[in-house]
Amino acid sequence: MPPVAITLQLADEHDTETLASALALAWTQHPERRLLITLDGDLGAGKTTFARAFLRALGVQGRIKSPSFSLLEEYNLDIPDLQFKGTLQTSAYHIDLYRFSDPHEWDDSGLRDVVGGPGISLVEWPQRAQGLLPLADLSVHLEPEGEQRRCTLRATTEQGQRLVRTLPEGLKSG
């Protein structure tokens, strides 16, 4: 399946949060056992802003810490499962690989089982693992342009493409 890519112009931090929330809510319509979203871009591009808004939209309460020093923050989620009229219990993992100086630290970190297993993984700085991560369902590249941000979404799986397709038209047109 060929990847699908779209580029959006985000006016400010609020637009980044709106995009992340829309993608999270789209996932809740057809939740799958595993979701991997990678977030890349320079320092201050909005990766953590995106991750926090995504997690908030899934119901995470309280402080959402940046995992820059801890590498991993885990959140337990109870997602309404509309298909089965119940609740889907899963975990969300916010991972930050910024401190990796060698891609093989990925192997030593023990994160392979987390990202490859069930749950939602939001991975900042995926390039620090240089191709050792599993295939992302959705890659989010954020690039500051003055006060705005250019955001490129690249969906490489059916699940990622479904998320992009279900974005509201106002977001897709950038």
Side-chain angles (χ1 to χ4, degrees):
M1 160 184 329
V4 170
I6 65 169
T7 300
L8 309 170
Q9 204 61 34
L10 305 175
D12 52 24
E13 187 174 298
H14 178 0
D15 280 2
T16 302
E17 293 169 341
T18 300
L19 172 63
S21 295
L23 288 166
L25 293 175
W27 178 81
T28 65
Q29 300 307 303
H30 300 283
E32 293 197 23
R33 184 171 120 37
R34 178 190 160 277
L35 174 66
L36 172 57
I37 297 177
T38 58
L39 303 158
D40 75 289
D42 292 337
L43 283 171
K47 298 177 297 296
T48 300
T49 297
F50 181 100
R52 284 182 175 136
F54 193 95
L55 293 167
R56 285 252 180 268
L58 294 177
V60 174
Q61 302 291 312
R63 184 168 180 242
I64 298 176
K65 299 187 319 183
S66 171
S68 292
F69 292 99
S70 61
L71 287 182
L72 167 75
E73 293 293 331
E74 180 179 0
Y75 303 92
N76 295 315
L77 303 173
D78 291 318
I79 306 294
D81 191 332
L82 303 176
Q83 183 179 359
F84 296 106
K85 295 180 176 52
T87 302
L88 170 67
Q89 294 179 326
T90 191
S91 294
Y93 305 97
H94 184 188
I95 299 166
D96 188 328
L97 304 180
Y98 179 74
R99 300 225 173 267
F100 282 14
S101 58
D102 181 309
H104 295 291
E105 289 180 81
W106 167 254
D107 290 326
D108 297 337
S109 72
L111 294 172
R112 181 181 304 277
D113 291 337
V114 171
V115 173
I120 298 166
S121 296
L122 302 164
V123 179
E124 295 187 40
W125 298 95
Q127 66 274 25
R128 300 286 173 115
Q130 288 186 353
L132 298 174
L133 287 172
L135 179 66
D137 297 292
L138 184 65
S139 298
V140 178
H141 176 76
L142 295 161
E143 190 174 330
E145 292 183 337
E147 294 298 312
Q148 298 187 358
R149 291 182 179 109
R150 179 182 311 178
C151 176
T152 303
L153 301 174
R154 184 174 174 85
T156 54
T157 67
E158 176 58 38
Q159 179 177 204
Q161 290 180 14
R162 184 173 43 253
L163 293 178
V164 170
R165 280 193 310 268
T166 60
L167 284 174
E169 284 305 315
L171 285 172
K172 289 184 199 175
S173 61

